[in-house]
Amino acid sequence: MSLAADKAKEILVHLGQKVAESGLVIGTWGNLSCRVARDNVVVITPSGLDYRRMTTRDMVIIGMDGRVAEGERKPSTELALHLAVYRSRPDVQCVIHTHSPYAGAMAVNRMPIPAILEDAVAMIGGPVPVTQYAFSGSQRLAELAAAALGRVNAVLLANHGVVGVGRTPDEAFQVCQQVERAAQVYILARAIGTPVALTDEETAVLLEHYTKEYGQRERGEG
Ligand SMILES: [Zn+2]
């Protein structure tokens, strides 16, 4: 996927509304961005603005060096985190940071989410790791998150929230939804018994199957 900056701004406006409606964030919390590979920039949501009031004019364009290239508003306070993820993951085109409650409970306990549900594992790529604690907005948190993310598509930030990434905005959004659902199911499963996670081998087979299916579906949809 190669986006133009104007298109990325529109996508972020709609995605912001979807994320707010989904309950994955409350008020002005959380933040989202898209990479514009052709210009080597990132378009990110502004700091402290309600998603329902956001327009394309509020979006901020940032160079990969972290400098504002265009935009009147202050970029999201988690800008460093978004940039660190794009630098370490060339495949990622969209980053969404949420504060969803069940994933938040796992992040507070500093517990990774095991590979327990097929569809979540297929989207995320394996268990969801959790970072060590660092203050929100700090460079340290950005580095910890990018390192913990590795090759999977989601990471829990200790005592804070979730980062979900994808090759498309829709994929990143689905990842955030799957993280929340997996956390909810894991907590419920723990309440009534002992959850059994998929083995590494089962996870590998599942991912291979998913990659094949997803590739075919993508080609089929042109
Ligand atoms: Zn946050």
Side-chain angles (χ1 to χ4, degrees):
M1 187 187 72
S2 181
L3 280 174
D6 284 351
K7 184 73 187 160
K9 288 179 186 177
E10 281 175 29
I11 286 170
L12 287 175
V13 168
H14 291 123
L15 195 58
Q17 288 165 355
K18 256 169 80 172
V19 170
E21 281 164 16
S22 70
L24 296 174
V25 298
I26 293 170
T28 64
W29 296 100
N31 31 75
L32 353 160
S33 68
C34 282
R35 188 205 296 270
V36 181
R38 66 172 77 166
D39 301 332
N40 200 30
V41 295
V42 166
V43 183
I44 191 163
T45 48
S47 174
L49 196 65
D50 195 295
Y51 291 101
R52 286 164 300 187
R53 288 182 47 218
M54 243 176 238
T55 71
T56 52
R57 285 193 300 278
D58 297 314
M59 300 302 160
V60 189
I61 302 181
I62 306 286
M64 289 307 287
D65 57 3
R67 289 196 203 140
V68 175
E70 185 196 306
E72 286 163 21
R73 293 205 178 261
K74 234 178 105 193
S76 160
T77 52
E78 295 293 2
L79 172 63
L81 187 154
H82 289 249
L83 289 175
V85 172
Y86 289 119
R87 286 190 194 110
S88 67
R89 286 283 297 273
D91 60 313
V92 168
Q93 305 299 325
C94 181
V95 176
I96 302 179
H97 166 51
T98 70
H99 288 182
S100 58
Y102 286 96
M106 299 294 289
V108 165
N109 281 355
R110 304 194 185 177
M111 292 164 72
I113 306 172
I116 48 164
L117 291 172
E118 282 194 342
D119 50 353
V121 172
M123 290 296 303
I124 294 161
V128 183
V130 55
T131 62
Q132 294 171 39
Y133 179 71
F135 287 115
S136 60
S138 66
Q139 185 60 36
R140 170 103 177 117
L141 179 63
E143 287 162 13
L144 287 171
L149 191 63
R151 301 310 304 167
V152 294
N153 292 328
V155 61
L156 299 176
L157 310 177
N159 302 78
H160 182 172
V162 178
V163 177
V165 306
R167 292 168 296 175
T168 64
D170 188 54
E171 197 175 77
F173 180 58
Q174 282 189 51
V175 164
C176 290
Q177 288 180 307
Q178 289 287 5
V179 169
E180 182 61 4
R181 196 175 76 90
Q184 183 178 14
V185 169
Y186 183 70
I187 290 164
L188 289 171
R190 286 272 302 239
I192 58 166
T194 308
V196 180
L198 300 179
T199 64
D200 289 349
E201 197 186 351
E202 286 163 345
T203 298
V205 171
L206 194 68
L207 289 176
E208 200 188 320
H209 177 72
Y210 172 75
T211 306
K212 267 189 207 159
E213 284 289 303
Y214 190 82
Q216 278 169 11
R217 201 161 67 233
E218 223 175 23
R219 279 196 294 279
E221 288 167 1

